[in-house]
Amino acid sequence: MKLKVLWMYHDLMDLYGDKGNIQVLKTRCEKRGIDLTVDTCTIGEIRTISDYDIFFLGGGADREQNLIYEDLLLRREGIEEAMKSGTAFLLICGGYQMFGKYYRDQDGNTVPCLSFFDYYTVASDRDHRCIGNIAVEVNMDGEHFLAVGFENHGGQTENVSFPFGSVRYGHGNTFNGKFEGFLNDQVLATYMHGPLLPKNPMIADLVVRRGLRRNYGDVSLDPLDDTLETKARTVMLERLGVSLENRQEAEKQSD
Ligand code: GLN
C-alpha cells in the first residue's frame, strides 16, 4: 500500500516539535511495509493538493500565520478538491485556526482564514493565554481513549460544531474550556502539540487509516509495540490525575 503526505509550510508552521508528527507517520508506516512519501510545500510552490492522501499543517505564531495566509487562501479551491477526493487532514493549533472563518490577533488585526468551517478565533489578553499540558477524552472513528499533549495559544476558538474531545485537564478551545479541537470524517484539528502523534500512537494510526481509506477503503493495521509510548502517556496522565474511570466517579459525585 502507498500513502502520500503533503506537509504544508514545513519551514514556517512548526512549533513545539510538530515536525515529530511526520516522523511518526513515517516510522509507523515503514514498520508495516506501507510505502509513505512526504512532499513539502511552502509559499509560492505549486502542488496539486488532491494528489495527496494526508494533508498536514502544523502550528505557528501570529507572525507565521500572517506570512502564510495569502498563499493559503490562494489554495482554497485546491484544498476543497482534496476534501472532495477524500484526503485526510491533520491540523495543529495555528493550522487549526486557519481552517475557520478568521483569526483576530491581540492587536485587533483580523487574518482572514479559509472558512471551511464556522468556527473563529480571537486572541485573549495575556492573562488568559492557554499554556501547559492537556489531557483530552476523545471519541474518534469508534475508539474511545485519553489523549495527552501540550498547548500554548492565545487564540480562543468559538462556535465549534463538533469538537475533537472533552478537556479533562488544561484549556482546549477556550480558556478553562470544556472542549478541544474540531473533528469531522476527514479533518482532525487540535490545539495539541506535544508533538501529538508520538505521545498518542492511536491517533497516528487513525490518521494513517483515514489516509489509506481514499484508495484502499477501511483497512486494519498490524499492531505495533507501543510499550514506550503507552508508558510515557500513562506517566503524564497520572501526573495530571486523569483516567477514564475517575471521570465517571467525578460525575457520580456531582449527581
Ligand atoms: N498564534 C496562535 C495563537 O496564539 C497559534 C499559536 C500556535 O500555533 N501554538 O493562538
Side-chain angles (χ1 to χ4, degrees), residues 15-16 59-62 65 93-94 97 103 129 152-155 193:
L15 280 178
Y16 317 113
D62 293 9
Q65 284 173 287
C93 200
Q97 296 171 353
Y103 174 64
R129 202 172 168 85
N152 186 358
H153 53 105
H193 301 274

Side-chain angles (χ1 to χ4, degrees), residues 141-211:
D141 298 351
E143 292 188 28
H144 178 215
F145 54 89
L146 288 166
V148 297
F150 168 78
E151 60 180 333
N152 186 358
H153 53 105
Q156 310 289 299
T157 301
E158 307 273 3
N159 204 32
V160 179
S161 55
F162 197 98
F164 174 44
S166 316
V167 177
R168 298 289 309 279
Y169 187 97
H171 301 283
N173 288 336
T174 53
F175 190 81
N176 274 340
K178 278 200 167 91
F179 298 107
E180 204 289 316
F182 168 85
L183 184 73
N184 72 12
D185 253 12
Q186 275 171 271
V187 180
L188 161 50
T190 175
Y191 274 113
M192 286 193 277
H193 301 274
L196 177 76
L197 301 186
K199 286 191 171 173
N200 304 286
M202 59 292 223
I203 300 180
D205 286 355
L206 287 169
V207 171
V208 168
R209 289 222 302 265
R210 283 181 165 207

Side-chain angles (χ1 to χ4, degrees), residues 62-75:
D62 293 9
R63 178 180 169 274
E64 282 76 30
Q65 284 173 287
N66 263 299
L67 288 173
I68 62 142
Y69 85 88
E70 283 173 341
D71 184 88
L72 183 65
L73 292 184
L74 288 174
R75 299 179 194 270

Side-chain angles (χ1 to χ4, degrees), residues 8 42 74 76 80 100-102 106 113 118 123 164 202-203 223 250:
M8 284 304 297
T42 192
L74 288 174
R76 194 182 189 287
E80 198 169 2
K101 284 190 174 300
Y102 58 83
Q106 260 199 1
C113 298
D118 284 340
F164 174 44
M202 59 292 223
I203 300 180

